[in-house]
């Protein structure tokens, strides 16, 4: 969408006309915004649950930062 908006911004139009993005493009941008908010809240809630469970503020970081590395190992074993 950003590339399309950049190209559309360079189009010269007669006065009184403008380019407006609606429909699926608008819905997609809105959905990605909601998805980013949900991901941020999920990370915060997981951290809070782990902090309460382990009664530590540092141990949850170690667990949460090691998960992406474990996915690489899991993908290597399964393929």
């Amino acid at each position: 969408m950003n590339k399309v908006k950049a190209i559309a911004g360079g189009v010269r139009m007669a006065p009184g006309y403008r380019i407006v993005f609606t429909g699926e493009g608008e819905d997609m941008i809105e959905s990605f915004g909601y998805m980013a908010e949900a991901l941020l809240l999920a990370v915060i809630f997981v951290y809070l649950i782990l902090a309460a469970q382990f009664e530590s503020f540092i141990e949850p970081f170690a667990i949460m930062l090691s998960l992406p590395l474990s996915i690489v190992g899991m993908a290597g074993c399964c393929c």
Side-chain angles (χ1 to χ4, degrees):
M1 278 304 288
N2 291 333
K3 289 181 182 180
V4 173
K5 284 183 180 181
I7 293 171
V11 174
R12 297 189 187 271
M13 301 182 76
Y17 290 94
R18 63 187 177 130
I19 297 175
V20 179
F21 296 96
T22 60
E24 288 185 34
E26 186 180 25
D27 291 340
M28 185 174 62
I29 291 172
E30 183 180 354
S31 295
F32 284 150
Y34 290 144
M35 186 174 63
E37 288 178 18
L39 180 63
L40 179 65
L41 284 173
V43 169
I44 290 171
F45 286 140
V46 166
Y47 173 78
L48 291 174
I49 290 170
L50 288 172
Q53 189 174 16
F54 292 114
E55 297 178 357
S56 170
F57 290 113
I58 301 207
E59 287 181 21
F61 283 121
I63 293 168
M64 291 173 67
L65 293 176
S66 68
L67 286 177
L69 299 174
S70 67
I71 292 172
V72 173
M74 181 267 319
C77 291
C78 293
C79 296

